[in-house]
Amino acid sequence: MQREVGSLPLAPALRARLAAAGFQTAQELLETGPCGLSKEIGISKEEALEALQVVRQECHGDAARTAGGSGTARKFTALELLEEEQAQGFIITFCSALDNILGGGVQLTKITEVCGAPGVGKTQLCMQLAVDVQIPECFGGVAGEAVFIDTEGSFMVDRVVDIAAACVEHCQLIAEAQQEADHLKALETFSLESILSHIYYFRCRDYIELLAQVYLLPEFLSEHSKVRLVVIDGIAFPFRHDFEDLSLRTRLLNGLAQQLIIIANDHKAAVVLTNQMTTRIGQSQSTLVPALGESWGHAATVRLIFHWDNSQRLATLYKSPSQREATVPYHVTPHGFRDVQPPAVTQNAEGTEMNPRKRPRREEEKQ
Amino acid sequence: MAAKKLRRAQLSQELCERLSRCQITTCQDFLCLSLLELMKVTGQSYYEVQKLLCKVSRACAPKMQTAYEMKLRKSVSPSSAFLSTTLHGLDRVLHGGVPCGSLTEITSPPGCGKTQFCIMLSVLATLPVSMGGLDGAVIYIDTESAFSAERLIEIAGNRFPTYFDSDEKVFCMTRSVHLYRELTCCSVLKRIMSLEEEIISKKVKLIIIDSVASVVRKEFDTKLQGNLAERSNFLTRGASVLKYLAEEFSIPVILTNQITTSLSNGPAIQADLVSPADDLSLSE
C-alpha cells in the first residue's frame, strides 16, 4: 500500500502527471477515487478508473506476496527443493554413458546447451530427445510433448521416423519381457503417429521470427500443458550475421535467455539449445570455442561440448552445477543416439536409464 | 518477415504514426526494444505493452506444424524428395539421391571431379521425371569459369544417347541451363538475393554454386584483423538465403567447396576434411 507511484506499471505520461500533481504512494491514489483523480490530474473519468484498477491489482499482488502465499516470487527451503528435484524426471538420451555423466539425463526446468562442430550430432541428439520426452512413465520417461524450434533447417522428418520407430520397438521389447498390464496399456497410445503428432515444429528464418516465437511460447505452452521439452536447434545461426551492433545482440540474447529460464521454470520443461563453434585466434594458436561470446556462456545451466577424436565422437560435460566434468564417447546409429559399446556396469542404484545395447531377453528396466 | 511494416501487423493507425515518429516502422524495430523502452514510445501501461508485443509477434512468428503433418506431406509426393545421381552406390548411401529442400556440399581436392559432377547433375535435372530428372531449369553460378558448354553436350549425348537423339532435344536442354559468371563475393551475394524471382519465372529445379570457396578465399585473408568476422557474415547471409530458397521451392541446392589443411599444435579437434570456411558456418 505504501508503494511508490513511480514503480506502478502505468503509462509513462500518466506517471509523469501523477508525480507533477504530488502523488507519492499508491494508498493516496486509492483514497482519492476516480472522480477526484480525474479532476486533479485532468484526465477523463474512464482513464482514471482504469489506472485505479491497475493500482488495485498490483497492490493485491504485493499483499499476497508479502503474506507468503503463491505468487511469482516463491520461497522454498532447500529440503523442499531436494524433494522436488529427486521426484523430477529426466529425459534420457538412450546413451547411458551420457545419461550417467548428466546425472540421469537432461534435467527438467534447466537450460542445457549443446555445442559442437557441424556434423557431430547435435541435431541428432535434439531429435532423439524430442522422441524420448514422450516415453510413458511406466517405462521411465516423463510422458511429455516436445516443441522443436528450427533455425537452420536441419530437421529431417524421415530421421525422426527412424528414431521413433526404434524407440517404440525398444519399449515393446521391454513390455514383452516384463508382461505388466500398465506397460501394454501405455503401448497402445505410444505409437509412431502419436509421437510425430506431439512434436510441434516451428521454422524460424531469422532472429526476429525467433524472438517473436519465444514471446509467444508461454501462451502456446499454457494451451499445450503437456509440453516438457523445448528445443531450439541453432540459437547461434540467426545471430551470427547482419549484426553490426554487437551490444544489441548481447542484449537480445540476454533477454532471450531470461525468457527461456522463466519458461523452463513455470512450465517444468527442459530447454535444450544447440550452439555452433567459432575460432578464437590466440597469440600462437587458435582454438574452437562456443559461438556467441563469453556473456552467452552464462545463459545455460548445463553445457555439453561435442567434438571429434580422430573418428570417435566424444561428449564432454563442460559446465554443470551438480555433476563432475567428464568425457564419454557416443555413437549415432540408424536407430538414433546410442552408446559406443555395452557398458560393463549395468545396475545403477537410482538411475532409470534403459540399456539399449543388451539383447532383448536380458533386457532389464530399472525403476 | 522482419521487415514487415507495423501497420500490417494490425496495430492501430494512430499507434503506428506515433511509433514512426520515433523511427519505429517495422516489426524488427519493435521487437528489438525492451519493455521499458516500448512503454516510453507507445505511452501505454505495462500490460498493454505486453499485449501489443504478442500482437506484433503473432504477425512475425512462423506457423506451427506437427512432425506428423510434415511426414504426411512428404509421403504424398515421394518421388520429388530426391534427385537421383544415377550412381547407384552413392544413391544408396544418400537414401535416394541429392535431397530436395536442403543444401548439399561437395568437397574434394582439386581435380577430383566436382565440376564434372555438377555438370552431370545439370543434365539430370533437365530430364523428364519419368527418366529420374526434375524436368526443370538449372541455375549455375560459376565463380571459377570452369563450366564448359561443350562438355555439357558431350555428357548428355554419351549418357543418354536414346533421349538426346535430335539436335532439338539438345538445344532444349542447353536452353534450360542458365549460367552466371560471378567473380566477387559481393556479386555472388547479390545474385543469390535475386534468385527468388528467377526461380519462379524460369521454373528452376536445381541451383548449383561452383564454388563458394574460391571466391571467399580470394577476397578474405583470415590473418588480417576483422576479415574473419566479415567472411562469416557473408557466408551466413548467403547460407540463410539459399536455405530459404531450397525449402520454399523444395529444390536441391548444391555447393562445392575446397580442401584446406588444418595446422594446429593443440589437440586436433577437426577431422581431416575441413571446410575452408573455417568458421564452420556454411554447412549448418
Side-chain angles (χ1 to χ4, degrees), chain A residues 289-341:
Chain A
V289 296
L292 297 181
E294 296 278 339
S295 50
W296 177 250
H298 299 289
T301 319
V302 176
R303 206 174 218 189
L304 279 171
I305 299 194
F306 285 2
H307 52 107
W308 296 90
D309 175 21
N310 294 327
S311 52
Q312 176 58 54
R313 297 166 205 255
L314 299 172
T316 302
L317 183 64
Y318 191 72
K319 173 185 175 192
S320 165
S322 50
Q323 304 295 322
R324 209 163 46 142
E325 275 185 34
T327 304
V328 293
Y330 66 91
H331 246 181
V332 179
T333 67
H335 297 298
F337 214 77
R338 293 289 188 269
D339 277 305
V340 168
Q341 71 218 1

Side-chain angles (χ1 to χ4, degrees), chain A residues 8-13 15 50 54 57-58 116-119 122 151-158 160-162 192-193 195-209 211-213 215-216 219-220 224 237 240-244 248 251-252 275-279 281 284-286 288 307-310, chain B residues 1-2 18 27-29 31-34 36-37 39-41 43-48 53-71 74 82 95 99 101-102 222 228-229 232-234 236-237 239-240 243-244 247-248 263-271 278-281 283-284:
Chain A
L8 293 169
L10 299 167
R15 265 184 292 158
E50 265 180 50
V54 169
Q57 196 183 10
E58 277 298 301
K122 307 187 291 293
T151 60
E152 298 174 345
S154 38
F155 183 81
M156 295 277 150
V157 187
D158 304 306
V160 178
V161 167
D162 288 343
L192 191 59
E193 284 79 29
I195 297 180
L196 291 180
S197 326
H198 293 305
I199 299 180
Y200 304 111
Y201 178 78
F202 298 88
R203 172 76 171 96
C204 294
R205 299 253 150 81
D206 53 35
Y207 73 95
I208 291 297
E209 287 189 19
L211 285 178
Q213 188 52 49
Y215 276 129
L216 293 177
E219 198 185 308
F220 185 84
H224 300 85
F237 186 66
R240 286 188 82 185
H241 59 103
D242 280 344
F243 259 106
E244 297 88 25
L248 174 65
R251 181 152 67 80
L252 292 177
N275 200 355
Q276 296 173 352
M277 301 295 266
T278 187
T279 337
I281 318 240
S284 51
Q285 61 183 40
S286 47
L288 277 185
H307 52 107
W308 296 90
D309 175 21
N310 294 327
Chain B
M1 268 300 125
R18 185 176 177 154
C27 292
Q28 183 170 356
D29 303 329
L31 289 175
C32 281
L33 296 174
S34 70
L36 287 178
E37 286 169 341
M39 279 172 73
K40 198 166 74 158
V41 296
Q44 308 237 352
S45 72
Y46 185 75
Y47 300 111
E48 290 294 313
L53 215 56
C54 278
K55 220 179 191 178
V56 175
S57 300
R58 229 163 277 145
C60 298
K63 213 171 63 88
M64 192 267 287
Q65 338 165 37
T66 63
Y68 190 53
E69 287 163 16
M70 290 168 73
K71 175 166 170 276
K74 268 202 159 183
F82 292 101
H95 282 261
S102 54
T222 46
L228 193 59
S232 89
N233 200 352
F234 161 74
T236 39
R237 270 173 75 188
S240 67
K243 275 196 226 239
Y244 163 70
E247 283 172 14
E248 188 67 33
L263 306 160
S264 61
N265 312 331
I269 303 186
Q270 290 118 326
D278 273 347
D279 56 321
L280 313 169
S281 62
S283 39
E284 295 260 41

Side-chain angles (χ1 to χ4, degrees), chain A residues 49-65:
Chain A
L49 182 61
E50 265 180 50
L52 283 180
Q53 280 171 344
V54 169
V55 172
R56 206 164 282 136
Q57 196 183 10
E58 277 298 301
C59 291
H60 277 170
D62 283 343
R65 268 195 288 273

